[in-house]
Amino acid sequence: MEFSIKSGNPEKQRTGCLIVGITEPRRLTPAASALDEVSKKYLSKIIRKGDISGKPGQSLLLHNIPGTMADRVLLIGCGKERELDEKQYRNIIGHTINQLGQTGTTEAVSYLPELNVKGRDYYWKIRQAVEITSNLLYEFREFKSKPAKDRKTLRRITQMVSSRRDLAIGIQAVSDGRAITHGIRLARDLANRPANVCTPTHLAAEAQQLAKSLPAIKVTVLDEDALKKLKMNALLSVAQGTAEPARLITLEYKGGKRNGRPIVLVGKGITFDSGGISIKPAANMDEMKFDMCGAAAVFGAIATVAEMQLPLNVIGIIAATENMPGSKATRPGDIYTSMSGQTIEVLNTDAEGRLILCDALTYSERFNPDVVIDIATLTGACVIALGKHATGLLSNHNPLAKDLLNAGENCGDRAWQLPLWDDYQKQLDSPFADMANVGGRDAGTITAACFLSRFTKKLNWAHLDIAGTAWITGDKKGATGRPVTLLVQYLMDRCR
Ligand code: BES
Ligand code: MN
Ligand code: ZN
């Protein structure tokens, strides 16, 4: 998909389809109004007949409007102008893309950036349009033997700004939006692959591949022998139940000062989570191939910052293994000494994410990081608490938490903070080891973060629980690419 920016009058655009808004009640936007003028009130007449009033979700496709050079004009209902907020704008863009798909046009020229969205400028409106469009048109067909029947034909969308002065900001928005969609697509592709293909070894190979296509990225892959030497026994305790060898993958992007402290992103890369000996129920277990979405988001974010050439040092650490039952698997009650030296009683082998993350977090210390953010499909409890809308955020460093919350609000990939109070810590008490790996039914997302917090005392750290946001279920089942946008927005904000 190609995106471009232009300024100019709507009647002069030679295109397959012009996209213009109409707000309630029957109000023409500036572009629609210009078309109305050149066509001797062609639009006003149709609107007066009641074919469209401007309600959200309405649209009307018109052909060969007199005085214009476009094959078609797609009128899009935008609702009441006063009520045009971010959510409404996003819906409008989404609706437009779906309608365009029905027309058969290969390219279009959109005047929707002229809509007034409360508190938002061209940059925001155009970047949103790029991201939403790309996300909607994404298809995962790697394992389909035949091409799709109704192939989506849309190839190019030009976003219009009102004057040449605004071209530069529009071009910046397209270029940022494009880099983000590349990261999102990478994350979605990796996560959508089945677990028999997307193994820890596969993730390592993909990391090498990424470093080849983006030379600013350096990759190191540690195998199980190396993990043993590092005493990453918590990670290895998860890996010992599967025939797939575990990997610790490090992606280093150095765009900042030579000695600038890096931002470290730690991704949970469980390529399949059966639960281990504490095995999960059969229903929907296939979705546990998505248990590496944290790792996928790290891939996506690093690829994007490298494409954007942000002046930052960013390091991705991915702990990758499968969680399987078997004769070598961890038993409930087994005790392991983590890399940090703290001992863990594994009461539930299905709480494996925290076991691989705790060692990866300890490992992150060696990079002398400014901040560390881990990203993990960590708890079903987070889906119960926040549903599929917000990513769970817990942090031991309030400025970092605030920055992440703000970044989310800004880009639309939002997080919501939960408390990380000491009061919850005692749920992790174990009679046999320094701690248990589960904290009972109450506050499952918080106790999981409490567990991790015991390994991040020396760090400015935030934890993103993406169990609810990383993929959607149902007939459109698939990875969302969240929270790549949130991470990239946070990193971009740090460059201002
Ligand atoms: N990967 C799961 C969390 C998960 C479950 C994410 C469902 C999305 C949907 C994680 O490894 C897990 O199994 N967590 C357990 C923890 C429990 C044993 C304390 C859970 O949430 O049930
Ligand atoms: Mn699990
Ligand atoms: Zn898991």
Side-chain angles (χ1 to χ4, degrees), residues 383-402:
V383 196
I384 304 299
L386 299 174
K388 300 219 138 244
H389 303 287
T391 291
L393 165 67
L394 298 102
S395 176
N396 65 8
H397 188 59
N398 243 327
L400 173 58
K402 291 263 144 39

Side-chain angles (χ1 to χ4, degrees), residues 268 273 280 288 291 348 350 352 377-380 438 467 471:
K268 172 178 173 182
D273 182 11
K280 288 181 180 294
M288 283 299 119
D291 212 17
N348 189 322
D350 198 9
E352 85 298 338
T377 47
L378 204 62
T379 62
V438 290
W471 74 90

Side-chain angles (χ1 to χ4, degrees), residues 154-196:
L154 197 59
R155 296 252 158 69
R156 183 189 184 91
I157 296 190
T158 306
Q159 310 277 341
M160 301 301 289
V161 293
S162 56
S163 86
R164 305 193 49 182
R165 276 197 323 267
D166 300 313
L167 286 173
I169 196 77
I171 287 165
Q172 186 63 48
V174 165
S175 131
D176 291 348
R178 195 189 284 125
I180 290 169
T181 63
H182 292 160
I184 289 191
R185 281 171 173 250
L186 173 60
R188 293 177 83 173
D189 282 347
L190 290 173
N192 283 331
R193 285 177 197 156
N196 63 324

Side-chain angles (χ1 to χ4, degrees), residues 138-296:
Y138 171 87
E139 288 182 302
F140 182 71
R141 301 197 58 87
E142 283 181 20
F143 296 87
K144 296 280 191 189
S145 59
K146 295 188 187 75
K149 268 190 227 113
D150 55 338
R151 281 198 63 89
K152 291 175 180 156
T153 45
L154 197 59
R155 296 252 158 69
R156 183 189 184 91
I157 296 190
T158 306
Q159 310 277 341
M160 301 301 289
V161 293
S162 56
S163 86
R164 305 193 49 182
R165 276 197 323 267
D166 300 313
L167 286 173
I169 196 77
I171 287 165
Q172 186 63 48
V174 165
S175 131
D176 291 348
R178 195 189 284 125
I180 290 169
T181 63
H182 292 160
I184 289 191
R185 281 171 173 250
L186 173 60
R188 293 177 83 173
D189 282 347
L190 290 173
N192 283 331
R193 285 177 197 156
N196 63 324
V197 171
C198 186
T199 58
T201 319
H202 176 82
L203 286 178
E206 284 287 317
Q208 312 275 20
Q209 197 54 46
L210 188 64
K212 220 177 254 170
S213 62
L214 293 163
I217 298 174
K218 203 185 94 194
V219 168
T220 348
V221 178
L222 299 185
D223 62 12
E224 289 189 0
D225 286 338
L227 300 182
K228 250 169 235 152
K229 287 200 187 98
L230 287 164
K231 303 203 169 79
M232 291 191 155
N233 299 317
L235 197 171
L236 287 166
S237 79
V238 178
Q240 73 192 30
T242 168
E244 287 294 338
R247 294 287 182 263
L248 189 82
I249 306 163
T250 306
L251 300 149
E252 287 181 73
Y253 167 74
K254 282 215 162 80
K257 295 203 184 78
R258 212 159 61 81
N259 294 319
R261 295 176 77 184
I263 296 151
V264 175
L265 307 176
V266 176
K268 172 178 173 182
I270 294 287
T271 57
F272 189 75
D273 182 11
S274 69
I277 297 297
S278 316
I279 199 160
K280 288 181 180 294
N284 304 323
M285 208 207 270
D286 64 293
E287 294 186 8
M288 283 299 119
K289 73 172 182 177
F290 294 124
D291 212 17
M292 38 60 74
C293 281

Side-chain angles (χ1 to χ4, degrees), residues 93-160:
I93 301 294
H95 183 64
T96 302
I97 298 307
N98 290 333
Q99 292 302 311
L100 270 181
Q102 322 248 308
T103 66
T105 187
T106 56
E107 49 81 49
V109 170
S110 171
Y111 279 85
L112 296 179
E114 74 177 1
L115 294 172
N116 286 316
V117 182
K118 268 177 250 156
R120 295 302 186 182
D121 57 7
Y122 268 131
Y123 176 85
W124 186 92
K125 287 183 279 189
I126 292 171
R127 205 184 98 188
Q128 286 287 323
V130 170
E131 291 178 24
I132 293 164
T133 304
S134 166
N135 282 340
L136 272 177
L137 297 181
Y138 171 87
E139 288 182 302
F140 182 71
R141 301 197 58 87
E142 283 181 20
F143 296 87
K144 296 280 191 189
S145 59
K146 295 188 187 75
K149 268 190 227 113
D150 55 338
R151 281 198 63 89
K152 291 175 180 156
T153 45
L154 197 59
R155 296 252 158 69
R156 183 189 184 91
I157 296 190
T158 306
Q159 310 277 341
M160 301 301 289

